[in-house]
Amino acid sequence: MVIEVNRITKRFEAFTALKNLDLEVRPGELVALLGPSGSGKTTLLRIIAGLEFADEGRILFDGTNAGDRQVGERRVGFVFQHYALFRHMTVMENVAFGLRVVPRDKRMANADIEKRVMKLLSLVQLDRLAGRYPSQLSGGQRQRVALARALAIEPRVLLLDEPFGALDAKVRKELRRWLRRLHDEMSLTSIFVTHDQEEALELADRVVVMNNGAIEQIGTPEEVYNMPATPFVYEFLGNINRIDCEISHGKARLWGVEVTAETHDGTPVPSGTLKGHAYIRPHDITFIDPSKQEGAPAVVRHVAAAGPTARIELAVEGIPHLIEAELPRQQYLELGLRTGQSVTIAARAARVFPPAAE
Amino acid sequence: MSPSTANSTLAGYDDAPPPPRAWGGSWRQPSVLPGFGITMGFTLFYLGLLVLLPLMALIFKAMEFSWEQIWAAATAPRALAAYRLSFGAAFIAAVINLFFGGLVSWVLVRYQFPFKRIVDGLVDLPFALPTAVAGIALATLYAPNGWIGKLLDPIGIKVAYTPLGVVVALVFIGLPFVVRTVQPVLQDLNKDVEEAAASLGASRWQTFRRVIAPSVMPAALTGFALAFARALGEYGSVIFIAGNLPMKSEIAPLLIIIKLEQYDYAGAATIGSTMLIVSFLLLLPINVLQRWSRLRSAEV
């Protein structure tokens, strides 16, 4: 199903949660709404679901206006952050709920309901626990019950609000993969909200980065990570080093290299000399031989070498905060870096923006 | 690890489920707080002194009669009529309070309106008001020439000086019990559970009946039991509005007072003991029911 969000604005008293926002989700897509808290991502999800209503703008499901339909009529599967299970019902009854509240003349026979529920429970691998109450389940199991319950009504679209937020890291990772598989197998259209960039980048077909009630960038995980459209996306996605620099005539000099400045909305960079920020990913920092190439002198302050990449904190002359670099383990071993060692660094890639007009 | 997780094939997906509830075992549980002995001892002593001792005295007083005398006093027609009124009116009043008290707590929790704090405070007044004052006020209002009685009299409804008046007084004094037990539970009820029900296609009524009501049920039962128990023992407010006609609008506590005034102490104790035993037999199943529904809806 195609979901079109058309110039949606939502205000809560004096606070504007969403500002004139547009978004289109294509059939079969898994889209992540990613942003810090207060960016409006959950509000947008709730408006799509029909749990909240926009002050302006329209929501279209397959081209028809969904705005005047109540949440129950939209056939959306909504998975709540804290599961929202009915705690006085067994797992079985929780999942069956959506089938039992159908008007009597359209309701499935009891036996069919039970068959459908058991099928869903085996899909989420909880068929053995059908008779338990939610209080007898672990967090990951509860989340899967919530998912099975949402899927029982055969939704046209699946909406998940911070689906893995309350789970610990290992369970979260398992469930993430499992959700991706489920989404592909059932060919659903899904939107999920998260503030965890890793989750968004790993799981989604497209990531919608939100900030302050507006969309900063929409793109594939690769696009938003490698080609961030705005300084905000740069800082929000992945680790980043931000360095103050000076832009003159559209160019900045950084560690012996000239970088062309750009603006996030494509307008020309103001001429003359102005202050700006350079953004460098930690893995784009290289350790070089100063006799062959121009670079910046630095001192190694701390090394965290556990895992496949080594994280190195560097004190660079003229920069008040530490710079973070990442090296593959093998390269780190070859360089033999040690705390206190003097090195020379350069940037493989960097982007320079004038300060955002805020 | 509990056996239920040991043989599970879900291992890859599972974090540990909560451990099963411990039943029985040692009375004394390891705790960071000391003082099991002294607090338990004090509790038993205190309950014994304050609750059990007077009740024992009551039953011993009744035992001054022979068994035949006890049976005769306990089942005298006037006593039976008084039990019927006391238990019947208390039950009806508690049921009314269950519904309307539930409604009041719903309104107080769910809606914002001017002077909400004051309305909320009003609920407690029946607790604080001397019961005799309440009784006189109600009798004045519902008497055939009172503000409300004047309106009801022409259509043939008599409240004051009838069993109906007893119910009115008991509803009045029982209201806070239901409101104050249901209110906090409604407050804690997560809105997302209701939203989940709505997103699954449930109507508002279905959401209320299948989701909200069962969650509130244990608290509502507690409130019901409290209101019922309070109504059984109520004396002050009832005697002013009841009219106190023997066999018709005379409540059991009043009959006890009448026996006392006639120096029939054993007779009074017999009726008192009968009330005590019947109340206990009625409250016990309510408690069991309450416990059962509470277990089913354990905190998630």
Side-chain angles (χ1 to χ4, degrees):
Chain A
M1 189 178 69
V2 188
I3 302 165
E4 282 168 85
V5 174
N6 213 323
R7 300 232 295 276
I8 288 285
T9 296
K10 173 75 183 174
R11 290 180 209 92
F12 293 109
E13 284 164 29
F15 173 69
T16 307
L18 296 173
K19 296 168 195 156
N20 209 13
L21 190 138
D22 282 302
L23 175 67
E24 191 185 319
V25 178
R26 299 188 277 258
E29 244 187 339
L30 181 53
V31 167
L33 303 179
L34 175 68
S37 52
S39 59
K41 54 194 194 305
T42 295
T43 307
L44 177 58
L45 192 78
R46 290 171 60 86
I47 287 175
I48 295 173
L51 293 169
E52 209 94 62
F53 291 89
D55 296 319
E56 288 158 38
R58 293 186 306 167
I59 302 281
L60 302 173
F61 282 7
D62 273 340
T64 58
N65 194 353
D68 44 6
R69 268 183 284 162
Q70 295 285 328
V71 54
E73 301 164 309
R74 290 195 191 184
R75 280 210 20 231
V76 293
F78 199 97
V79 177
F80 291 81
Q81 187 177 1
H82 300 291
Y83 323 131
L85 295 180
F86 308 128
R87 57 193 197 197
H88 58 281
M89 294 181 201
T90 60
V91 167
M92 171 110 191
E93 282 310 309
N94 261 285
V95 178
F97 186 87
L99 303 173
R100 294 215 195 277
V101 294
V102 173
R104 197 179 298 268
D105 49 322
K106 290 182 204 146
R107 198 183 303 160
M108 303 161 67
N110 253 336
D112 293 337
I113 290 181
E114 269 169 41
K115 216 180 286 169
R116 164 98 69 93
V117 170
M118 286 318 290
K119 215 174 124 200
L120 278 163
L121 283 178
S122 65
L123 182 73
V124 299
Q125 308 189 355
L126 285 173
D127 36 346
R128 293 154 167 270
L129 304 180
R132 294 237 190 138
Y133 287 97
S135 60
Q136 298 167 308
L137 302 180
S138 69
Q141 291 169 337
R142 286 177 200 167
Q143 184 60 286
R144 282 182 281 148
V145 176
L147 211 81
R149 185 179 67 177
L151 292 174
I153 58 168
E154 297 188 321
R156 303 188 292 172
V157 50
L158 187 62
L159 305 172
L160 307 105
D161 184 9
E162 301 262 1
F164 314 119
L167 302 170
D168 61 58
K170 187 163 172 276
V171 182
R172 191 187 295 200
K173 211 157 188 169
E174 296 279 1
L175 270 178
R176 214 190 272 167
R177 290 204 189 117
W178 177 84
L179 176 67
R180 178 73 236 192
R181 251 199 344 263
L182 194 79
H183 168 89
D184 293 339
E185 276 167 21
M186 302 190 75
S187 55
L188 283 161
T189 304
S190 310
I191 306 176
F192 74 99
V193 157
T194 182
H195 62 259
D196 180 349
Q197 37 136 329
E198 195 192 318
E199 198 165 285
L201 295 178
E202 189 185 308
L203 194 53
D205 295 320
R206 282 197 304 158
V207 178
V208 177
V209 185
M210 291 184 65
N211 182 33
N212 271 332
I215 292 175
E216 294 268 338
Q217 187 176 7
I218 306 176
T220 63
E222 220 184 323
E223 280 165 4
V224 294
Y225 188 83
N226 291 329
M227 291 296 293
T230 67
F232 173 83
V233 179
Y234 236 129
E235 289 188 46
F236 193 73
L237 278 183
N239 289 332
I240 192 78
N241 293 300
R242 190 175 82 168
I243 300 160
D244 294 334
C245 63
E246 199 166 80
I247 303 171
S248 72
H249 304 294
K251 290 190 190 304
R253 258 192 102 67
L254 183 76
W255 299 347
V257 185
E258 198 148 82
V259 183
T260 306
E262 50 198 316
T263 54
H264 54 85
D265 46 7
T267 54
V269 179
S271 59
T273 305
L274 65 154
K275 293 225 170 294
H277 298 300
Y279 294 90
I280 308 168
R281 294 268 186 223
H283 59 244
D284 282 332
I285 287 179
T286 53
F287 293 79
I288 55 162
D289 180 351
S291 61
K292 291 185 190 153
Q293 196 185 333
E294 207 179 336
V299 178
V300 176
R301 277 291 164 79
H302 180 75
V303 178
T309 53
R311 273 184 43 245
I312 298 136
E313 281 174 9
L314 300 153
V316 182
E317 237 171 74
I319 298 173
H321 53 89
L322 293 176
I323 295 295
E324 198 177 303
E326 273 174 19
L327 282 181
R329 181 170 175 76
Q330 192 56 38
Q331 208 178 329
Y332 158 76
L333 291 175
E334 281 162 15
L335 283 166
L337 294 174
R338 241 174 291 278
T339 307
Q341 191 178 342
S342 289
V343 292
T344 306
I345 56 168
R348 199 180 285 132
R351 293 174 75 191
V352 173
F353 291 94
E358 278 187 33
Chain B
M1 192 181 264
S2 68
S4 60
T5 55
N7 58 23
S8 153
T9 57
L10 295 162
Y13 284 110
D14 281 310
D15 41 337
R21 228 179 271 269
W23 294 105
S26 166
W27 283 13
R28 189 169 184 166
Q29 286 163 5
S31 161
V32 288
L33 293 177
F36 170 80
I38 191 158
T39 51
M40 189 71 196
F42 182 77
T43 303
L44 288 179
F45 171 74
Y46 192 79
L47 283 178
L49 192 72
L50 252 83
V51 180
L52 275 172
L53 196 64
L55 295 183
M56 292 304 288
L58 174 69
I59 289 171
F60 278 128
K61 192 78 202 170
M63 298 301 257
E64 284 174 11
F65 274 175
S66 70
W67 287 110
E68 290 78 31
Q69 282 173 305
I70 290 176
W71 184 250
T75 59
R78 188 172 170 189
L80 287 180
Y83 301 145
R84 211 174 294 133
L85 178 62
S86 269
F87 285 104
F91 182 78
I92 293 167
V95 169
I96 292 172
N97 273 326
L98 184 63
F99 281 98
F100 290 96
L103 192 69
V104 169
S105 27
W106 178 262
V107 169
L108 285 177
V109 169
R110 285 308 169 96
Y111 304 114
Q112 295 302 324
F113 50 89
F115 307 113
K116 182 170 157 172
R117 288 302 188 100
I118 294 174
V119 174
D120 193 79
L122 280 177
V123 170
D124 286 329
L125 276 189
F127 271 147
L129 204 65
T131 50
V133 177
I136 292 167
L138 288 172
T140 314
L141 273 180
Y142 284 97
N145 57 355
W147 289 351
I148 299 177
K150 218 166 15 189
L151 301 174
L152 294 177
D153 203 43
I155 52 171
I157 300 173
K158 290 196 188 340
V159 179
Y161 319 125
T162 65
L164 192 57
V166 178
V167 173
V168 169
L170 295 182
V171 168
F172 175 80
I173 54 122
L175 175 73
F177 292 95
V178 175
V179 176
R180 289 298 177 235
T181 48
V182 171
Q183 204 178 8
V185 178
L186 270 181
Q187 217 133 33
D188 285 348
L189 205 65
N190 276 329
K191 207 162 165 80
D192 57 4
V193 179
E194 285 162 57
E195 289 179 343
S199 78
L200 292 167
S203 65
R204 280 159 199 244
W205 169 244
Q206 284 172 320
T207 305
F208 178 79
R209 194 173 61 85
R210 287 169 172 265
V211 175
I212 299 170
S215 311
V216 173
M217 196 46 97
L221 278 174
T222 306
F224 174 84
L226 286 172
F228 178 67
R230 174 79 172 86
L232 275 181
E234 179 57 18
Y235 174 74
S237 61
V238 177
I239 52 164
F240 289 100
I241 197 172
N244 308 325
L245 297 169
M247 305 296 295
K248 198 167 164 259
S249 60
E250 183 179 62
I251 54 168
L254 180 67
L255 191 58
I256 294 172
I257 299 283
I258 290 170
K259 296 247 181 224
L260 287 177
E261 281 168 352
Q262 295 161 351
Y263 304 106
D264 180 7
Y265 295 127
T270 305
I271 294 176
S273 305
T274 313
M275 294 276 293
L276 188 70
I277 292 163
V278 176
S279 310
F280 186 74
L281 291 179
L282 286 176
L283 290 173
L284 195 66
I286 295 179
N287 266 311
V288 171
L289 194 64
Q290 207 180 302
R291 185 182 162 78
W292 172 77
S293 57
R294 206 179 290 275
L295 274 181
R296 273 186 18 137
S297 60
E299 197 63 43
V300 171

